């Protein structure tokens, strides 16, 4: 499910409330969906443990040679992107290359990138960056609010950043196309909980109905508790399966 699809699912559960009229009401609904997701992440640890960020050529740029180094822009075989690293832990960076007629692949290929210290970012900008291969999957360096990766992400590639931390999504009404396409780890049960959260705040802030607010918020609290139980049980059973298969803590599965 993408961030856009999740918002659509929440609005489906909102029923008639999703079509509410009034100045700023639709934007308010989008912002309350974001607020509900933030609240759920703070209550359910597994939602913070498995975050995904997607990057492609459309939301990456070349590093500015005037501000970073003195090389000519023609020599730069690197991309720069935005990522706020505050209170996050990078777990894994993968590049997926999808099959096309040009690359003559039958299936997608995955490359596990090497993370290097930000202090060595000039190696990526000025250094020689060979074509991405299994033996040379590429490198990436993270700063406070940005990252630089080399070699450049190709048109048939996408970079997936797996990290642990709290993710603040953009409200749907102001999200970019790439932000809307971001994969999320939420399902329909989470969408239902989010809709109850939104209904509660619409009742209080728009309708000024505290009784309805309490009723919907109680539903949300029950939804949230059930999600916590479900996620806790799933995390426990998944860990046992991984240990049983001998994959170990360093193993990963790509769907």
């Amino acid at each position: 499910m993408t961030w856009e699809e999740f918002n659509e699912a929440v609005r489906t559960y909102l029923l008639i409330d999703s079509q509410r009229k009034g100045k700023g009401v639709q934007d308010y609904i989008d912002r309350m969906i974001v607020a509900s997701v933030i609240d759920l992440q703070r209550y359910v640890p597994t939602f913070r443990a498995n975050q995904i960020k997607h990057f492609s050529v459309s939301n990456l740029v070349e590093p500015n040679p005037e501000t970073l180094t003195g090389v000519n822009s023609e020599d730069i075989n690197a991309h720069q992107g935005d990522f706020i690293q505050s209170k996050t832990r990078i777990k894994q960076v993968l590049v997926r290359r999808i099959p096309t007629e040009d690359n003559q692949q039958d299936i997608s290929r995955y490359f596990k990138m090497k993370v290097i210290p930000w202090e060595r970012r000039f190696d990526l900008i000025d250094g020689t960056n060979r074509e991405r291969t299994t033996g040379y999957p590429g490198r990436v360096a993270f700063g406070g609010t940005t990252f630089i990766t080399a070699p450049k992400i190709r048109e048939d590639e996408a970079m997936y950043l797996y990290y642990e931390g709290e993710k603040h999504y953009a409200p749907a009404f102001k999200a970019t196309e790439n932000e809307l396409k971001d994969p999320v780890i939420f399902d329909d049960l989470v969408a239902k909980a989010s809709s109850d959260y939104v209904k509660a705040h619409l009742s209080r802030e728009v309708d000024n109905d505290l009784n309805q607010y309490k009723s919907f918020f109680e539903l949300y609290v029950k939804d949230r508790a059930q999600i916590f139980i479900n996620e806790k049980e799933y995390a426990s059973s998944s860990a046992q399966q991984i240990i049983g298969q001998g994959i170990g803590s360093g193993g990963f599965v790509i769907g």
Side-chain angles (χ1 to χ4, degrees):
M1 185 181 291
T2 64
W3 177 235
E4 182 178 26
E5 290 169 339
F6 178 78
N7 277 265
E8 292 171 353
V10 174
R11 285 183 171 273
T12 298
Y13 286 115
L14 285 174
L15 297 174
I16 193 172
D17 283 324
S18 67
Q19 303 299 324
R20 282 204 181 212
K21 306 296 182 182
K23 184 178 180 181
V25 172
Q26 289 300 312
D27 291 355
Y28 181 77
I29 290 174
D30 286 345
R31 290 193 180 277
M32 283 299 101
I33 293 174
V34 174
S36 70
V37 168
I38 292 173
D39 183 75
L40 284 165
Q41 288 180 87
R42 292 175 179 176
Y43 191 84
V44 184
T46 54
F47 285 169
R48 300 191 303 273
N50 299 291
Q51 299 284 18
I52 308 171
K53 183 70 176 175
H54 164 266
F55 296 94
S56 64
V57 292
S58 61
N59 59 346
L60 295 171
V61 298
E62 283 190 356
N64 188 338
E66 294 183 359
T67 59
L68 296 175
T69 181
V71 301
N72 295 322
S73 59
E74 294 83 4
D75 299 328
I76 297 178
N77 184 20
H79 268 139
Q80 182 173 330
D82 295 327
F83 178 74
I84 299 176
Q85 197 183 3
S86 176
K87 298 180 180 178
T88 64
R89 182 175 68 86
I90 305 299
K91 299 172 70 175
Q92 196 171 71
V93 185
L94 293 177
V95 170
R96 179 192 182 194
R97 183 180 297 164
I98 62 173
T100 66
E101 291 184 5
D102 292 335
N103 63 34
Q104 299 181 339
Q105 293 177 196
D106 295 325
I107 59 175
S108 293
R109 295 182 62 190
Y110 293 86
F111 305 88
K112 186 177 179 181
M113 300 185 72
K114 180 181 180 180
V115 179
I116 65 174
W118 180 246
E119 292 74 18
R120 291 182 54 198
R121 63 190 181 279
F122 296 108
D123 294 349
L124 305 179
I125 302 167
D126 298 341
T128 301
N129 298 300
R130 305 189 301 272
E131 180 182 354
R132 195 185 320 279
T133 63
T134 302
Y136 186 77
R139 297 175 295 174
V140 59
F142 291 92
T145 59
T146 189
F147 67 86
I148 295 175
T149 181
K152 286 182 177 178
I153 301 298
R154 303 181 351 179
E155 290 286 347
D156 59 353
E157 293 178 338
M159 188 178 91
Y160 294 87
L161 171 59
Y162 295 82
Y163 66 96
E164 180 178 325
E166 187 177 292
K167 185 170 183 177
H168 290 211
Y169 295 87
F173 74 90
K174 64 182 299 185
T176 65
E177 183 178 349
N178 279 288
E179 288 172 332
L180 290 172
K181 290 181 179 178
D182 261 355
V184 298
I185 57 175
F186 313 126
D187 57 16
D188 277 270
L189 186 60
V190 178
K192 172 62 170 60
S194 179
S195 71
D196 288 334
Y197 184 96
V198 174
K199 287 179 181 179
H201 285 82
L202 285 173
S203 297
R204 186 179 67 181
E205 303 299 336
V206 180
D207 300 334
N208 198 26
D209 189 333
L210 292 181
N211 289 328
Q212 278 285 77
Y213 166 76
K214 292 178 182 178
S215 176
F216 282 122
F217 200 79
E218 287 176 1
L219 285 175
Y220 168 71
V221 170
K222 291 179 180 178
D223 293 339
R224 187 179 63 180
Q226 186 60 54
I227 291 170
F228 175 83
I229 293 172
N230 292 349
E231 291 294 325
K232 185 177 181 181
E233 290 178 351
Y234 176 76
S236 175
S237 64
S238 297
Q240 291 174 1
Q241 291 173 17
I242 290 174
I243 294 171
Q245 294 171 358
I247 296 176
S249 61
F252 62 93
V253 177
I254 303 174

